[in-house]
Amino acid sequence: MNEICCIFCETTSNQVIIEENGYKGKKCPECGLIYISPRPSYDEIVNLYGHDEAHIPAESHISNDFPKRLYARHHLRIIRSVVTNGAILEIGAGAGYFLDEARKLGFTPYGLELNTIQANFMRNELNISCEESPLSTSTFKGIKFDVVYHCDVISHFFDPISDFKRINEIMKDDSFLIFETGNFGEVDHIYFKHLQRFQYPDHLFFFSTDNLKRLLNGTGFKVLKMYRYSIIPQLMAMKLFAGIKDTLFKLEGQQGNSCDAEAVEDIQQSHFRSSKAVAIVRKIWNFFNYLLRYKIGAIAPKKCRPQTVIVIAQKNKAITGQ
């Protein structure tokens, strides 16, 4: 691991505001960018995802199709306000549910996913073209894209400036870059207590909205719009939910030690019914979570509070010499 400085200001910082899993998040005193330093090597980061050792395993991504499709439809409504068809590339595509929803609306989907389990699911179950490699100018044989999309991925980029320049290179003129990310670089630290974890070392950078504008302007994009959603209502609900989930899901863990066949059958039937009940409860919770994030969050107070931000940017100029 190596000590690094702010990627924008090129200055070092001694202000440690996050400590998790043996890693330190330092905040730039000039621009507010939060970055891991010392930082894992590039090979260590790639290996983290390629071998399913990230904080959220592949099977969880695959099984959570309902909320992922719900969020995808929300995002696609925003995307279709600026572009309604064409080749769309998702970076860090996970199980591919966003791309599957995009295809239903007339887009031609392509995915980049380093996790083999998820990439195989995307190719074999959803029939979506997917490559298991980092983004490069030779991605999908060098085709140019009308839309490049990623969700909660920018914080994972090893070198965001170089990565955004590379994204610029694979896009058509006047095409669109759309992504979602958090704004922790501008959040008052008193709100950090509401966050259960920062997922270090999966996350390498946390940006402010000014950081995002600086990154986009410096890599050949112009910002068209930012949609901002407070996640405080969602975080508070999750905290409340954590206190009652044992009650909601207690039937799911029912076990029986009886040797009586009829008793065992009764227990199995109860477990089956409870599992169905849990599935329904989870579906209701996921929909409620969606409403908290994108409906209530859209009107909740946002200043200095944790938010998720959806950015709409357009390619403004080609980046050469990379």
Side-chain angles (χ1 to χ4, degrees):
M1 298 206 301
N2 297 312
E3 292 280 353
I4 67 168
C5 61
C6 174
I7 60 173
F8 298 121
C9 306
E10 298 183 349
T11 57
T12 58
S13 173
N14 294 319
Q15 185 183 8
V16 177
I17 62 169
I18 299 172
E19 292 191 66
E20 184 179 83
N21 297 328
Y23 296 91
K24 295 180 179 180
K26 298 179 179 180
K27 186 168 186 175
C28 176
E30 296 183 30
C31 73
L33 178 73
I34 300 172
Y35 56 93
I36 277 186
S37 183
R39 180 177 60 179
S41 70
Y42 178 78
D43 289 340
E44 288 173 321
I45 295 300
V46 171
N47 185 66
L48 181 70
Y49 301 107
H51 292 82
D52 201 32
E53 295 174 359
H55 278 88
I56 303 176
E59 294 301 335
S60 293
H61 284 286
I62 293 171
S63 64
N64 287 332
D65 60 314
F66 175 74
K68 290 185 180 296
R69 289 185 184 277
L70 194 62
Y71 286 29
R73 291 168 194 149
H74 173 271
H75 291 30
L76 284 163
R77 285 193 290 271
I78 292 175
I79 291 171
R80 294 183 80 239
S81 69
V82 293
V83 56
T84 57
N85 56 58
I88 183 168
L89 172 70
E90 182 176 8
I91 302 171
Y97 295 124
F98 170 85
L99 290 174
D100 194 38
E101 293 296 324
R103 179 170 53 190
K104 294 175 183 177
L105 296 175
F107 291 94
T108 303
Y110 298 85
L112 288 179
E113 176 54 54
L114 296 179
N115 185 278
T116 298
I117 297 172
Q118 294 182 84
N120 284 335
F121 179 85
M122 205 182 317
R123 287 189 292 256
N124 300 330
E125 301 298 326
L126 300 182
N127 196 29
I128 292 173
S129 297
C130 177
E131 292 187 359
E132 294 175 59
S133 59
L135 178 69
S136 74
T137 54
S138 61
T139 292
F140 291 105
K141 299 182 179 179
I143 69 171
K144 301 290 186 180
F145 295 95
D146 299 281
V147 183
V148 173
Y149 168 83
H150 50 83
C151 182
D152 293 331
V153 168
I154 184 176
S155 290
H156 301 258
F157 285 159
F158 187 79
D159 184 349
I161 294 175
S162 294
D163 288 329
F164 267 56
K165 288 179 179 179
R166 198 169 294 114
I167 290 171
N168 181 290
E169 289 183 87
I170 66 167
M171 296 174 63
K172 296 179 182 178
D173 292 341
D174 299 320
S175 55
F176 296 91
L177 170 61
I178 297 109
F179 62 93
E180 180 175 4
T181 189
N183 73 320
F184 293 165
E186 66 193 74
V187 171
D188 191 312
H189 301 168
I190 64 172
Y191 291 103
F192 281 9
K193 64 184 179 182
H194 296 293
L195 303 168
Q196 292 183 343
R197 60 183 183 176
F198 293 89
Q199 295 186 20
Y200 276 2
D202 299 35
H203 291 151
L204 301 174
F205 297 94
F206 291 124
F207 300 84
S208 68
T209 50
D210 284 343
N211 292 153
L212 295 175
K213 291 174 184 177
R214 186 171 180 177
L215 175 62
L216 288 160
N217 291 335
T219 54
F221 297 96
K222 60 180 177 182
V223 177
L224 300 183
K225 191 166 185 178
M226 286 189 175
Y227 296 82
R228 301 168 67 118
Y229 307 88
S230 172
I231 61 172
I232 285 292
Q234 186 181 20
L235 291 173
M236 297 304 293
M238 289 173 67
K239 186 176 181 180
L240 174 64
F241 183 70
I244 64 174
K245 69 178 180 180
D246 289 342
T247 301
L248 287 173
F249 296 152
K250 65 180 180 180
L251 291 176
E252 187 179 36
Q254 278 188 331
Q255 300 292 328
N257 296 316
S258 173
C259 293
D260 181 79
E262 186 175 349
V264 170
E265 183 177 354
D266 287 344
I267 292 170
Q268 289 174 336
Q269 289 296 324
S270 176
H271 179 77
F272 175 73
R273 288 193 297 271
S274 67
S275 295
K276 291 181 67 175
V278 166
I280 293 171
V281 169
R282 284 179 176 164
K283 197 166 187 177
I284 293 171
W285 165 250
N286 284 327
F287 186 74
F288 179 59
N289 218 23
Y290 160 77
L291 293 178
L292 288 172
R293 188 178 183 104
Y294 294 113
K295 303 302 181 182
I296 303 301
I299 59 175
K302 301 178 184 67
K303 186 176 181 180
C304 298
R305 292 171 169 84
Q307 301 164 38
T308 187
V309 182
I310 298 177
V311 180
I312 307 292
Q314 189 170 25
K315 180 174 175 175
N316 193 30
K317 60 183 179 179
I319 298 296
T320 59
Q322 301 301 312

